[in-house]
Amino acid sequence: MDGLIIDLRNVPLVLCGGFLGRRASLIYFCMTVITRFGLGCIGMLSGILATIIAVCAGGLLARLTRPPFHHKVKHLVFFYYMASLHFCAAVVLEEPAQSWFLENASAPIAIFNLASITIAAHLLDAEELKITREYRLAESATLDTDHGAMMRSAFVREIALRMSSRMMDPQPGWF
C-alpha cells in the first residue's frame, strides 16, 4: 500500500529485551523510535507503538524466565507469542491501511517472527549456557596458567577451609 512502511525492527528489539537486558534494550529502543520517526508515513504512530509493545514484551519475558539460564521450548513459544503482541499496534492505523495490513502483511510477518524469533532465541540461549559454563570453569580453576600462583577464588576457598578445620591455629610447642 502506498505510504505504508512495514519494518521488522521489532524482532531484534524483543530479542534484545529478552536476552541482553535493560541498557541494551533502551539503546536499541531509542535508535528504533528515532529511525521510525524519521521515516514518517502513515504507519509511523503504529510503528512506534509496536516498538513500545515489543520492548515491554522482551523485558517481561526476561523478568519471567530468569534466573534459570536454560529456557525450555515452552519459554521460546511463549517468547514468540509475547513478541507477536506488537501486532496490536495495528489498531492505530487509519482504516484502509489497517485492513490491508491485517489481511495481507500480518500473516507473512507472523510466520517470519515465528521462525526468526524461535531460532534466534534458541541460539542466544545456547550461547548464554556456554558463557555460564565457562564462568563456572574459570571459577573452579585453582592455578593461574600465566604465573602458577593460586587464583583468588581458590585461595579464598582454601583459607576458609583451613580456618574452619582449625588447621591454621598455632600448634602447641611452637614459639
Side-chain angles (χ1 to χ4, degrees):
M1 173 173 260
D2 189 32
L4 182 64
I5 297 173
I6 298 173
D7 56 18
L8 299 173
R9 289 186 197 110
N10 293 330
V11 171
L13 185 62
V14 170
L15 292 170
C16 190
F19 287 94
L20 298 180
R22 292 181 190 149
R23 288 184 193 149
S25 298
L26 181 64
I27 292 168
Y28 189 68
F29 171 74
C30 290
M31 289 178 4
T32 304
V33 168
I34 290 169
T35 305
R36 191 63 182 126
F37 187 74
L39 287 173
C41 298
I42 42 179
M44 180 185 68
L45 291 177
S46 177
I48 291 173
L49 180 62
T51 302
I52 293 169
I53 293 170
V55 77
C56 291
L60 180 64
L61 183 84
R63 174 70 74 178
L64 293 176
T65 60
R66 301 290 175 186
F69 286 102
H70 184 66
H71 297 101
K72 296 177 175 62
V73 174
K74 67 180 180 180
H75 292 142
L76 298 179
V77 172
F78 180 69
F79 194 52
Y80 162 71
Y81 285 120
M82 291 292 293
S84 296
L85 285 177
H86 74 274
F87 285 127
C88 297
V91 298
V92 179
L93 283 172
E94 295 173 10
E95 181 43 46
Q98 180 184 20
S99 298
W100 181 88
F101 175 78
L102 292 175
E103 291 172 7
N104 298 318
S106 61
I109 291 173
I111 292 168
F112 177 76
N113 282 353
L114 176 63
S116 63
I117 289 173
T118 308
I119 291 170
H122 178 70
L123 292 173
L124 287 169
D125 187 46
E127 194 61 33
E128 270 188 348
L129 196 58
K130 285 180 188 176
I131 290 170
T132 304
R133 285 182 191 153
E134 185 178 320
Y135 283 142
R136 285 186 191 153
L137 184 62
E139 283 294 317
S140 68
T142 56
L143 296 178
D144 189 355
T145 56
D146 292 336
H147 49 75
M150 274 187 131
M151 301 284 283
R152 180 177 173 15
S153 58
F155 181 72
V156 169
R157 278 194 311 265
E158 186 68 26
I159 294 298
L161 179 66
R162 288 178 185 226
M163 291 296 288
S164 66
S165 67
R166 305 182 61 85
M167 287 179 63
M168 296 186 72
D169 287 346
Q171 300 297 322
W174 286 28
F175 298 102

Short mmCIF file of all heavy atoms in Angstrom, two decimals, residues 88-148:
data_model
loop_
_atom_site.label_atom_id
_atom_site.label_comp_id
_atom_site.label_asym_id
_atom_site.label_seq_id
_atom_site.Cartn_x
_atom_site.Cartn_y
_atom_site.Cartn_z
N CYS A 88 -0.84 -5.71 17.85
CA CYS A 88 -1.93 -4.92 18.43
C CYS A 88 -1.82 -3.45 18.06
O CYS A 88 -2.81 -2.72 18.12
CB CYS A 88 -1.95 -5.06 19.95
SG CYS A 88 -2.26 -6.73 20.53
N ALA A 89 -0.65 -3.02 17.67
CA ALA A 89 -0.46 -1.62 17.30
C ALA A 89 -1.16 -1.28 15.98
O ALA A 89 -1.28 -0.10 15.64
CB ALA A 89 1.02 -1.30 17.19
N ALA A 90 -1.65 -2.27 15.27
CA ALA A 90 -2.35 -2.02 14.01
C ALA A 90 -3.66 -1.27 14.23
O ALA A 90 -4.18 -0.65 13.30
CB ALA A 90 -2.62 -3.33 13.28
N VAL A 91 -4.17 -1.27 15.45
CA VAL A 91 -5.43 -0.56 15.71
C VAL A 91 -5.27 0.95 15.55
O VAL A 91 -6.25 1.66 15.37
CB VAL A 91 -5.99 -0.89 17.11
CG1 VAL A 91 -6.31 -2.36 17.22
CG2 VAL A 91 -5.06 -0.45 18.21
N VAL A 92 -4.03 1.44 15.59
CA VAL A 92 -3.77 2.87 15.46
C VAL A 92 -3.76 3.30 14.00
O VAL A 92 -3.95 4.48 13.69
CB VAL A 92 -2.43 3.23 16.16
CG1 VAL A 92 -2.11 4.69 16.04
CG2 VAL A 92 -2.49 2.83 17.62
N LEU A 93 -3.55 2.35 13.09
CA LEU A 93 -3.51 2.68 11.66
C LEU A 93 -4.86 3.20 11.18
O LEU A 93 -5.92 2.81 11.70
CB LEU A 93 -3.14 1.44 10.84
CG LEU A 93 -1.69 1.02 10.83
CD1 LEU A 93 -1.54 -0.33 10.14
CD2 LEU A 93 -0.84 2.06 10.15
N GLU A 94 -4.81 4.03 10.17
CA GLU A 94 -6.05 4.50 9.55
C GLU A 94 -6.70 3.34 8.81
O GLU A 94 -6.04 2.38 8.43
CB GLU A 94 -5.73 5.65 8.60
CG GLU A 94 -5.18 6.86 9.32
CD GLU A 94 -4.71 7.94 8.35
OE1 GLU A 94 -4.98 7.83 7.13
OE2 GLU A 94 -4.05 8.87 8.81
N GLU A 95 -7.98 3.43 8.57
CA GLU A 95 -8.78 2.30 8.10
C GLU A 95 -8.27 1.61 6.83
O GLU A 95 -8.13 0.41 6.84
CB GLU A 95 -10.25 2.70 7.92
CG GLU A 95 -11.14 1.58 7.46
CD GLU A 95 -10.89 0.25 8.16
OE1 GLU A 95 -10.76 0.20 9.38
OE2 GLU A 95 -10.79 -0.78 7.46
N PRO A 96 -7.99 2.26 5.73
CA PRO A 96 -7.58 1.43 4.58
C PRO A 96 -6.24 0.72 4.85
O PRO A 96 -6.06 -0.43 4.46
CB PRO A 96 -7.44 2.42 3.43
CG PRO A 96 -7.71 3.77 3.97
CD PRO A 96 -8.12 3.65 5.40
N ALA A 97 -5.34 1.38 5.54
CA ALA A 97 -4.05 0.77 5.83
C ALA A 97 -4.19 -0.36 6.86
O ALA A 97 -3.52 -1.39 6.75
CB ALA A 97 -3.07 1.82 6.34
N GLN A 98 -5.08 -0.17 7.83
CA GLN A 98 -5.28 -1.20 8.84
C GLN A 98 -5.83 -2.47 8.22
O GLN A 98 -5.35 -3.56 8.50
CB GLN A 98 -6.23 -0.68 9.91
CG GLN A 98 -6.50 -1.67 11.01
CD GLN A 98 -7.53 -1.15 12.00
OE1 GLN A 98 -8.30 -0.24 11.71
NE2 GLN A 98 -7.54 -1.75 13.18
N SER A 99 -6.83 -2.35 7.39
CA SER A 99 -7.42 -3.53 6.73
C SER A 99 -6.39 -4.23 5.85
O SER A 99 -6.28 -5.45 5.87
CB SER A 99 -8.62 -3.13 5.88
OG SER A 99 -9.62 -2.57 6.69
N TRP A 100 -5.64 -3.43 5.08
CA TRP A 100 -4.64 -4.02 4.20
C TRP A 100 -3.57 -4.76 5.02
O TRP A 100 -3.18 -5.87 4.67
CB TRP A 100 -3.97 -2.94 3.34
CG TRP A 100 -2.96 -3.52 2.42
CD1 TRP A 100 -3.18 -4.01 1.17
CD2 TRP A 100 -1.57 -3.72 2.70
NE1 TRP A 100 -2.01 -4.49 0.65
CE2 TRP A 100 -1.00 -4.32 1.57
CE3 TRP A 100 -0.75 -3.44 3.79
CZ2 TRP A 100 0.34 -4.65 1.50
CZ3 TRP A 100 0.58 -3.77 3.72
CH2 TRP A 100 1.12 -4.36 2.58
N PHE A 101 -3.12 -4.14 6.10
CA PHE A 101 -2.08 -4.76 6.92
C PHE A 101 -2.58 -6.07 7.52
O PHE A 101 -1.88 -7.09 7.48
CB PHE A 101 -1.64 -3.81 8.04
CG PHE A 101 -0.67 -4.43 8.99
CD1 PHE A 101 0.66 -4.56 8.65
CD2 PHE A 101 -1.08 -4.90 10.23
CE1 PHE A 101 1.58 -5.15 9.51
CE2 PHE A 101 -0.18 -5.48 11.10
CZ PHE A 101 1.15 -5.61 10.74
N LEU A 102 -3.77 -6.06 8.10
CA LEU A 102 -4.28 -7.27 8.75
C LEU A 102 -4.59 -8.38 7.75
O LEU A 102 -4.42 -9.56 8.06
CB LEU A 102 -5.52 -6.93 9.58
CG LEU A 102 -5.24 -6.04 10.81
CD1 LEU A 102 -6.55 -5.66 11.49
CD2 LEU A 102 -4.30 -6.71 11.79
N GLU A 103 -5.00 -8.03 6.55
CA GLU A 103 -5.33 -9.05 5.56
C GLU A 103 -4.12 -9.57 4.80
O GLU A 103 -4.06 -10.75 4.46
CB GLU A 103 -6.35 -8.49 4.56
CG GLU A 103 -7.71 -8.25 5.15
CD GLU A 103 -8.64 -7.52 4.19
OE1 GLU A 103 -8.26 -7.30 3.02
OE2 GLU A 103 -9.74 -7.16 4.62
N ASN A 104 -3.16 -8.70 4.51
CA ASN A 104 -2.06 -9.08 3.62
C ASN A 104 -0.71 -9.25 4.32
O ASN A 104 0.03 -10.18 4.01
CB ASN A 104 -1.89 -8.05 2.49
CG ASN A 104 -3.13 -7.97 1.63
OD1 ASN A 104 -3.72 -8.98 1.30
ND2 ASN A 104 -3.53 -6.76 1.30
N ALA A 105 -0.35 -8.37 5.19
CA ALA A 105 1.01 -8.36 5.72
C ALA A 105 1.16 -9.09 7.05
O ALA A 105 2.25 -9.55 7.37
CB ALA A 105 1.48 -6.92 5.88
N SER A 106 0.11 -9.19 7.83
CA SER A 106 0.27 -9.76 9.18
C SER A 106 0.63 -11.24 9.17
O SER A 106 1.46 -11.68 9.99
CB SER A 106 -0.99 -9.53 10.01
OG SER A 106 -2.09 -10.16 9.41
N ALA A 107 0.07 -12.03 8.27
CA ALA A 107 0.39 -13.47 8.24
C ALA A 107 1.85 -13.73 7.86
O ALA A 107 2.54 -14.50 8.55
CB ALA A 107 -0.55 -14.20 7.29
N PRO A 108 2.38 -13.11 6.78
CA PRO A 108 3.81 -13.35 6.49
C PRO A 108 4.73 -12.85 7.61
O PRO A 108 5.75 -13.50 7.92
CB PRO A 108 4.07 -12.56 5.21
CG PRO A 108 2.74 -12.37 4.59
CD PRO A 108 1.76 -12.35 5.71
N ILE A 109 4.39 -11.74 8.23
CA ILE A 109 5.22 -11.23 9.32
C ILE A 109 5.16 -12.18 10.51
O ILE A 109 6.17 -12.44 11.16
CB ILE A 109 4.78 -9.80 9.72
CG1 ILE A 109 5.12 -8.84 8.60
CG2 ILE A 109 5.47 -9.37 11.00
CD1 ILE A 109 4.59 -7.43 8.82
N ALA A 110 3.98 -12.73 10.80
CA ALA A 110 3.85 -13.68 11.90
C ALA A 110 4.67 -14.94 11.64
O ALA A 110 5.32 -15.47 12.56
CB ALA A 110 2.38 -14.04 12.13
N ILE A 111 4.68 -15.42 10.42
CA ILE A 111 5.48 -16.60 10.07
C ILE A 111 6.97 -16.29 10.20
O ILE A 111 7.74 -17.08 10.75
CB ILE A 111 5.13 -17.10 8.66
CG1 ILE A 111 3.70 -17.67 8.66
CG2 ILE A 111 6.12 -18.15 8.17
CD1 ILE A 111 3.15 -17.94 7.28
N PHE A 112 7.36 -15.13 9.70
CA PHE A 112 8.75 -14.71 9.82
C PHE A 112 9.15 -14.58 11.29
O PHE A 112 10.23 -14.99 11.69
CB PHE A 112 8.99 -13.40 9.08
CG PHE A 112 10.39 -12.88 9.23
CD1 PHE A 112 11.42 -13.45 8.52
CD2 PHE A 112 10.67 -11.85 10.10
CE1 PHE A 112 12.72 -13.00 8.66
CE2 PHE A 112 11.95 -11.38 10.25
CZ PHE A 112 12.99 -11.95 9.54
N ASN A 113 8.27 -13.99 12.09
CA ASN A 113 8.53 -13.85 13.52
C ASN A 113 8.71 -15.21 14.19
O ASN A 113 9.60 -15.41 15.01
CB ASN A 113 7.42 -13.09 14.22
CG ASN A 113 7.50 -11.60 14.01
OD1 ASN A 113 8.45 -11.09 13.45
ND2 ASN A 113 6.48 -10.90 14.47
N LEU A 114 7.83 -16.15 13.84
CA LEU A 114 7.92 -17.48 14.44
C LEU A 114 9.26 -18.11 14.14
O LEU A 114 9.93 -18.62 15.04
CB LEU A 114 6.78 -18.37 13.93
CG LEU A 114 6.81 -19.83 14.41
CD1 LEU A 114 6.65 -19.89 15.91
CD2 LEU A 114 5.75 -20.63 13.71
N ALA A 115 9.67 -18.07 12.89
CA ALA A 115 10.95 -18.69 12.51
C ALA A 115 12.13 -17.94 13.12
O ALA A 115 12.99 -18.55 13.78
CB ALA A 115 11.07 -18.73 10.99
N SER A 116 12.18 -16.65 12.92
CA SER A 116 13.37 -15.91 13.34
C SER A 116 13.48 -15.80 14.86
O SER A 116 14.58 -15.97 15.41
CB SER A 116 13.37 -14.52 12.71
OG SER A 116 12.26 -13.77 13.16
N ILE A 117 12.40 -15.54 15.54
CA ILE A 117 12.47 -15.38 17.00
C ILE A 117 12.78 -16.71 17.67
O ILE A 117 13.61 -16.76 18.58
CB ILE A 117 11.17 -14.76 17.54
CG1 ILE A 117 11.09 -13.29 17.13
CG2 ILE A 117 11.07 -14.91 19.04
CD1 ILE A 117 9.80 -12.62 17.45
N THR A 118 12.15 -17.77 17.24
CA THR A 118 12.39 -19.06 17.87
C THR A 118 13.82 -19.53 17.64
O THR A 118 14.49 -19.97 18.58
CB THR A 118 11.39 -20.11 17.33
OG1 THR A 118 10.07 -19.60 17.46
CG2 THR A 118 11.52 -21.41 18.08
N ILE A 119 14.31 -19.40 16.42
CA ILE A 119 15.69 -19.84 16.12
C ILE A 119 16.69 -18.94 16.84
O ILE A 119 17.64 -19.43 17.48
CB ILE A 119 15.93 -19.85 14.60
CG1 ILE A 119 15.11 -20.97 13.96
CG2 ILE A 119 17.41 -20.02 14.29
CD1 ILE A 119 15.08 -20.92 12.44
N ALA A 120 16.51 -17.64 16.73
CA ALA A 120 17.47 -16.72 17.37
C ALA A 120 17.44 -16.87 18.89
O ALA A 120 18.49 -16.83 19.54
CB ALA A 120 17.15 -15.28 16.97
N ALA A 121 16.26 -17.05 19.48
CA ALA A 121 16.18 -17.23 20.93
C ALA A 121 16.87 -18.52 21.35
O ALA A 121 17.55 -18.56 22.37
CB ALA A 121 14.73 -17.22 21.39
N HIS A 122 16.71 -19.57 20.56
CA HIS A 122 17.38 -20.83 20.87
C HIS A 122 18.90 -20.66 20.80
O HIS A 122 19.63 -21.15 21.68
CB HIS A 122 16.93 -21.93 19.91
CG HIS A 122 17.61 -23.23 20.13
ND1 HIS A 122 17.39 -24.01 21.24
CD2 HIS A 122 18.54 -23.88 19.40
CE1 HIS A 122 18.14 -25.09 21.17
NE2 HIS A 122 18.85 -25.03 20.06
N LEU A 123 19.40 -19.97 19.77
CA LEU A 123 20.84 -19.75 19.64
C LEU A 123 21.38 -18.87 20.77
O LEU A 123 22.46 -19.13 21.32
CB LEU A 123 21.16 -19.13 18.28
CG LEU A 123 20.91 -20.04 17.07
CD1 LEU A 123 21.11 -19.27 15.78
CD2 LEU A 123 21.81 -21.26 17.12
N LEU A 124 20.65 -17.82 21.12
CA LEU A 124 21.08 -16.95 22.21
C LEU A 124 21.07 -17.70 23.55
O LEU A 124 21.95 -17.50 24.39
CB LEU A 124 20.20 -15.71 22.28
CG LEU A 124 20.41 -14.68 21.18
CD1 LEU A 124 19.30 -13.64 21.21
CD2 LEU A 124 21.77 -14.03 21.31
N ASP A 125 20.09 -18.55 23.72
CA ASP A 125 20.01 -19.34 24.94
C ASP A 125 21.18 -20.31 25.04
O ASP A 125 21.78 -20.46 26.10
CB ASP A 125 18.68 -20.10 24.96
CG ASP A 125 18.43 -20.80 26.27
OD1 ASP A 125 18.65 -20.18 27.32
OD2 ASP A 125 18.03 -21.97 26.23
N ALA A 126 21.54 -20.94 23.92
CA ALA A 126 22.68 -21.85 23.91
C ALA A 126 23.98 -21.09 24.20
O ALA A 126 24.85 -21.60 24.92
CB ALA A 126 22.78 -22.56 22.56
N GLU A 127 24.09 -19.89 23.68
CA GLU A 127 25.29 -19.08 23.93
C GLU A 127 25.38 -18.67 25.41
O GLU A 127 26.46 -18.68 26.00
CB GLU A 127 25.28 -17.85 23.03
CG GLU A 127 26.60 -17.14 22.96
CD GLU A 127 27.72 -18.00 22.39
OE1 GLU A 127 27.46 -18.85 21.53
OE2 GLU A 127 28.87 -17.81 22.83
N GLU A 128 24.25 -18.31 26.01
CA GLU A 128 24.23 -17.98 27.43
C GLU A 128 24.66 -19.18 28.27
O GLU A 128 25.38 -19.02 29.25
CB GLU A 128 22.84 -17.54 27.87
CG GLU A 128 22.58 -16.09 27.75
CD GLU A 128 21.26 -15.68 28.39
OE1 GLU A 128 20.43 -16.56 28.72
OE2 GLU A 128 21.05 -14.48 28.54
N LEU A 129 24.22 -20.35 27.88
CA LEU A 129 24.60 -21.57 28.60
C LEU A 129 26.10 -21.81 28.50
O LEU A 129 26.74 -22.18 29.49
CB LEU A 129 23.81 -22.75 28.04
CG LEU A 129 23.75 -24.01 28.88
CD1 LEU A 129 23.16 -23.73 30.25
CD2 LEU A 129 22.95 -25.07 28.17
N LYS A 130 26.68 -21.59 27.31
CA LYS A 130 28.13 -21.75 27.15
C LYS A 130 28.90 -20.75 28.00
O LYS A 130 29.91 -21.09 28.62
CB LYS A 130 28.51 -21.56 25.68
CG LYS A 130 28.15 -22.71 24.80
CD LYS A 130 28.57 -22.42 23.37
CE LYS A 130 28.05 -23.46 22.42
NZ LYS A 130 28.37 -23.13 21.03
N ILE A 131 28.44 -19.52 28.04
CA ILE A 131 29.10 -18.49 28.83
C ILE A 131 29.04 -18.84 30.32
O ILE A 131 30.02 -18.69 31.04
CB ILE A 131 28.47 -17.10 28.56
CG1 ILE A 131 28.82 -16.64 27.15
CG2 ILE A 131 28.90 -16.08 29.59
CD1 ILE A 131 28.06 -15.42 26.69
N THR A 132 27.89 -19.33 30.77
CA THR A 132 27.74 -19.73 32.17
C THR A 132 28.70 -20.87 32.51
O THR A 132 29.34 -20.86 33.56
CB THR A 132 26.29 -20.15 32.45
OG1 THR A 132 25.43 -19.09 32.10
CG2 THR A 132 26.09 -20.52 33.90
N ARG A 133 28.80 -21.85 31.63
CA ARG A 133 29.73 -22.96 31.86
C ARG A 133 31.17 -22.47 31.90
O ARG A 133 31.97 -22.94 32.71
CB ARG A 133 29.58 -24.00 30.76
CG ARG A 133 28.35 -24.83 30.88
CD ARG A 133 28.29 -25.87 29.78
NE ARG A 133 26.99 -26.49 29.73
CZ ARG A 133 26.46 -27.02 28.65
NH1 ARG A 133 27.12 -26.99 27.51
NH2 ARG A 133 25.28 -27.57 28.69
N GLU A 134 31.51 -21.54 31.03
CA GLU A 134 32.86 -21.00 31.01
C GLU A 134 33.18 -20.27 32.30
O GLU A 134 34.27 -20.40 32.85
CB GLU A 134 33.01 -20.05 29.82
CG GLU A 134 34.40 -19.52 29.64
CD GLU A 134 34.51 -18.64 28.42
OE1 GLU A 134 33.91 -18.97 27.38
OE2 GLU A 134 35.19 -17.60 28.52
N TYR A 135 32.23 -19.49 32.81
CA TYR A 135 32.45 -18.80 34.09
C TYR A 135 32.63 -19.79 35.23
O TYR A 135 33.48 -19.62 36.09
CB TYR A 135 31.31 -17.85 34.40
CG TYR A 135 31.36 -16.56 33.64
CD1 TYR A 135 30.19 -15.97 33.18
CD2 TYR A 135 32.55 -15.90 33.38
CE1 TYR A 135 30.22 -14.79 32.47
CE2 TYR A 135 32.59 -14.72 32.68
CZ TYR A 135 31.42 -14.16 32.22
OH TYR A 135 31.46 -12.99 31.53
N ARG A 136 31.80 -20.83 35.24
CA ARG A 136 31.93 -21.84 36.29
C ARG A 136 33.28 -22.55 36.20
O ARG A 136 33.90 -22.84 37.22
CB ARG A 136 30.81 -22.87 36.18
CG ARG A 136 29.49 -22.36 36.66
CD ARG A 136 28.46 -23.45 36.67
NE ARG A 136 27.15 -22.90 36.88
CZ ARG A 136 26.04 -23.46 36.45
NH1 ARG A 136 26.09 -24.60 35.79
NH2 ARG A 136 24.87 -22.89 36.67
N LEU A 137 33.72 -22.84 35.00
CA LEU A 137 35.01 -23.50 34.82
C LEU A 137 36.15 -22.59 35.28
O LEU A 137 37.08 -23.03 35.94
CB LEU A 137 35.20 -23.89 33.35
CG LEU A 137 36.46 -24.67 33.01
CD1 LEU A 137 36.47 -26.00 33.76
CD2 LEU A 137 36.55 -24.90 31.52
N ALA A 138 36.06 -21.31 34.95
CA ALA A 138 37.09 -20.36 35.38
C ALA A 138 37.11 -20.22 36.90
O ALA A 138 38.18 -20.09 37.50
CB ALA A 138 36.86 -19.00 34.73
N GLU A 139 35.95 -20.26 37.54
CA GLU A 139 35.88 -20.17 39.00
C GLU A 139 36.44 -21.41 39.68
O GLU A 139 36.93 -21.34 40.79
CB GLU A 139 34.44 -19.93 39.46
CG GLU A 139 33.97 -18.52 39.26
CD GLU A 139 34.71 -17.53 40.14
OE1 GLU A 139 34.94 -17.83 41.33
OE2 GLU A 139 35.08 -16.47 39.63
N SER A 140 36.36 -22.55 39.00
CA SER A 140 36.84 -23.79 39.61
C SER A 140 38.34 -23.98 39.43
O SER A 140 38.92 -24.87 40.05
CB SER A 140 36.09 -24.99 39.04
OG SER A 140 36.45 -25.18 37.68
N ALA A 141 38.97 -23.18 38.60
CA ALA A 141 40.42 -23.30 38.40
C ALA A 141 41.15 -22.92 39.68
O ALA A 141 40.77 -21.98 40.37
CB ALA A 141 40.86 -22.40 37.25
N THR A 142 42.21 -23.65 39.98
CA THR A 142 42.96 -23.36 41.20
C THR A 142 44.26 -22.62 40.93
O THR A 142 44.68 -21.80 41.73
CB THR A 142 43.26 -24.65 41.98
OG1 THR A 142 43.95 -25.55 41.13
CG2 THR A 142 41.99 -25.29 42.49
N LEU A 143 44.90 -22.89 39.79
CA LEU A 143 46.17 -22.24 39.48
C LEU A 143 46.04 -21.37 38.23
O LEU A 143 45.41 -21.76 37.25
CB LEU A 143 47.28 -23.27 39.26
CG LEU A 143 47.64 -24.14 40.46
CD1 LEU A 143 48.71 -25.15 40.08
CD2 LEU A 143 48.09 -23.29 41.63
N ASP A 144 46.65 -20.22 38.27
CA ASP A 144 46.69 -19.33 37.12
C ASP A 144 47.72 -19.86 36.13
O ASP A 144 48.86 -20.16 36.51
CB ASP A 144 47.04 -17.91 37.56
CG ASP A 144 46.88 -16.89 36.45
OD1 ASP A 144 46.59 -17.30 35.32
OD2 ASP A 144 47.04 -15.69 36.73
N THR A 145 47.35 -19.98 34.88
CA THR A 145 48.26 -20.55 33.88
C THR A 145 49.40 -19.61 33.54
O THR A 145 50.44 -20.05 33.06
CB THR A 145 47.49 -20.90 32.60
OG1 THR A 145 46.83 -19.73 32.11
CG2 THR A 145 46.48 -21.99 32.85
N ASP A 146 49.24 -18.32 33.78
CA ASP A 146 50.29 -17.36 33.44
C ASP A 146 51.46 -17.42 34.40
O ASP A 146 52.62 -17.45 34.00
CB ASP A 146 49.74 -15.93 33.40
CG ASP A 146 48.78 -15.72 32.25
OD1 ASP A 146 48.89 -16.48 31.26
OD2 ASP A 146 47.93 -14.82 32.34
N HIS A 147 51.20 -17.41 35.71
CA HIS A 147 52.30 -17.34 36.67
C HIS A 147 52.30 -18.46 37.69
O HIS A 147 53.16 -18.49 38.56
CB HIS A 147 52.34 -15.97 37.37
CG HIS A 147 51.04 -15.52 37.91
ND1 HIS A 147 50.47 -16.04 39.04
CD2 HIS A 147 50.18 -14.58 37.45
CE1 HIS A 147 49.32 -15.44 39.28
NE2 HIS A 147 49.12 -14.56 38.33
N GLY A 148 51.37 -19.38 37.66
CA GLY A 148 51.39 -20.55 38.51
C GLY A 148 50.90 -20.35 39.93
O GLY A 148 50.88 -21.28 40.71
#
